[in-house]
Amino acid sequence: MGGKRGFGAIRRLPSGAYQARYTGPDGLRHQAPWSFATKEHADVWLAGQRTDISRGVWTPPGVPGPDEVALTFGTYAEAWVAGRDLKPRTRAHYESILATRLVPAFGKRPLDAIRPSDVRLWHATTDATKPTIRAHSYALLRTIFATAVADDLVPTNPCRIVGAGTTRRAGKTRPASLAELEVLVAAMPERLRLMVLLGAWCALRFGELAELRRMDVDLKRGIVRVRRGVVRVSTEVIVGTPKSTAGVRDVAVPPHLMSAVRAHLNAHVGAETDALLFPASDGRNMSPNSLYWHYYPARVAAGRPDLRFHDLRHTGAVLAASTGATLAELMARLGHSTPAAAMKYQHAAADRDRVIADALSRLASAPPSG
């Protein structure tokens, strides 16, 4: 948004800072070398430029004057986060990265004084044993500077380390077999068995399951409606929309689970339409730790101490892919907004099909019995 006056113009940048411009006596368009935290500060700067012109002492803006302060990375980054429409957990994650990694390294430096060599040195000496948080930190730094480039505050992005914003898991996630899943479910308390079943067969996230309510279950059509999710940020419990727009979806429940759904609704869910399917003992949204208290021993009983609860979603995705579901169908069922995540499940299903094919060949080559 821009504001025009008799002399110069002010526009608000995507970061929330303000930029001032004017036409000088040389007929050229000039821009303040720094952005301003408020519109009033930008106005004062323009008034000073106009006064210098009227007095005949004007020079093109360049080096900041004695009353001007260079826009620092810390100021810009904090405005950048504040101006973004972010999920609560994402906002908390970004603020933590800024406070613990980016601001200590770059916070007091002028935004346009940070060079590629500075970023490369910081990356080489930061969190070498924590590749995930280092990748997240670099990705946030790169994104902030991309906005600064769009704001015309820096000429180029100093974050140029190829692949530094991504990380890979140390090993592949192994989905649960149907036999393992059966043992796992049987080892859970009766009131939580359906939670495990829906997590696996419907590939639902924990936050989606913990916020499912009676009104979200359509017994006639055999679907659960995912409309909300619950997250915890520090000690605060926040109910909001799912992780992405694609997360708002209807998920068909495999027919063989519908009897378990009905039984659970009758035995463990209140009669109110907004009654939670899987409440905590106090009736509020269940916390992950409350589930893990029962889930961890159950996965040991199933012989899968490595199986995280989120891996049940992976299990369900691979099962869906093994039915021949298309990429678009997988994306819709899982609530993914981009193909990349859904593709890995198709690859996993293809790998499993190769195992099956190899086993068939072994059967064909086995000597006849008797």
Side-chain angles (χ1 to χ4, degrees), residues 271-353:
E272 304 85 0
T273 58
D274 64 346
L276 290 165
L277 260 63
F278 310 107
S281 58
D282 60 3
R284 295 184 292 182
N285 294 99
M286 180 182 296
S287 70
N289 285 340
S290 295
L291 172 68
Y292 297 158
W293 179 262
H294 304 285
Y295 180 76
Y296 287 166
R299 68 181 185 178
V300 171
R304 288 297 307 275
D306 62 308
L307 192 71
R308 303 170 304 168
F309 187 81
H310 190 73
D311 292 339
L312 296 179
R313 176 170 158 84
H314 181 94
T315 299
V318 173
L319 287 171
S322 68
T323 67
T326 66
L327 182 60
E329 289 167 341
L330 278 178
M331 289 175 62
R333 186 168 181 81
L334 300 173
H336 285 153
S337 55
T338 61
M343 283 181 68
K344 68 182 179 182
Y345 302 121
Q346 286 190 322
H347 294 159
D351 291 344
R352 180 61 187 160
D353 189 55

Side-chain angles (χ1 to χ4, degrees), residues 96-345:
S96 175
I97 289 175
L98 284 178
T100 59
R101 287 164 173 83
L102 299 186
V103 169
F106 303 112
K108 295 181 180 180
R109 300 186 60 177
L111 189 67
D112 65 351
I114 299 172
R115 302 289 181 256
S117 57
D118 300 323
V119 174
R120 194 173 297 277
L121 178 62
W122 164 80
H123 183 266
T125 57
T126 301
D127 292 318
T129 61
K130 301 176 181 177
T132 299
I133 190 61
R134 180 166 70 164
H136 289 181
S137 302
Y138 178 85
L140 179 58
L141 181 66
R142 181 181 59 197
T143 303
I144 291 172
F145 268 109
T147 306
V149 171
D151 284 350
D152 295 330
L153 296 176
V154 295
T156 59
N157 193 326
C159 300
R160 303 174 190 176
I161 306 172
V162 178
T166 59
T167 186
R168 296 179 180 179
R169 291 195 63 192
K172 287 186 177 181
T173 300
R174 181 164 65 92
S177 68
L178 296 185
E180 291 168 345
L181 185 58
E182 183 178 2
V183 175
L184 179 63
V185 171
M188 293 291 290
E190 186 178 311
R191 65 185 178 85
L192 295 177
R193 289 175 182 173
L194 184 66
M195 192 176 200
V196 173
L197 288 169
L198 293 180
W201 289 98
C202 295
L204 299 183
R205 301 176 176 94
F206 172 82
E208 296 168 344
L209 289 162
E211 179 51 25
L212 280 181
R213 299 175 184 268
R214 179 178 282 274
M215 62 187 175
D216 299 319
V217 181
D218 187 333
L219 292 174
K220 185 176 180 180
R221 295 175 58 199
I223 63 171
V224 290
R225 300 185 183 92
V226 180
R227 297 294 182 270
R228 302 166 309 283
V230 59
V231 297
R232 280 171 166 73
V233 179
S234 187
T235 58
E236 186 179 4
V237 178
I238 302 172
V239 175
T241 55
K243 188 175 180 180
S244 65
T245 303
V248 177
R249 64 200 189 281
D250 293 345
V251 182
V253 179
H256 75 277
L257 293 185
M258 288 308 299
S259 60
V261 173
R262 291 187 179 90
H264 182 85
L265 289 173
N266 291 333
H268 304 292
V269 182
E272 304 85 0
T273 58
D274 64 346
L276 290 165
L277 260 63
F278 310 107
S281 58
D282 60 3
R284 295 184 292 182
N285 294 99
M286 180 182 296
S287 70
N289 285 340
S290 295
L291 172 68
Y292 297 158
W293 179 262
H294 304 285
Y295 180 76
Y296 287 166
R299 68 181 185 178
V300 171
R304 288 297 307 275
D306 62 308
L307 192 71
R308 303 170 304 168
F309 187 81
H310 190 73
D311 292 339
L312 296 179
R313 176 170 158 84
H314 181 94
T315 299
V318 173
L319 287 171
S322 68
T323 67
T326 66
L327 182 60
E329 289 167 341
L330 278 178
M331 289 175 62
R333 186 168 181 81
L334 300 173
H336 285 153
S337 55
T338 61
M343 283 181 68
K344 68 182 179 182
Y345 302 121

Side-chain angles (χ1 to χ4, degrees), residues 22-37:
Y22 67 95
T23 301
D26 55 1
L28 300 177
R29 190 75 166 164
H30 295 281
Q31 176 178 300
W34 321 106
S35 65
F36 302 89

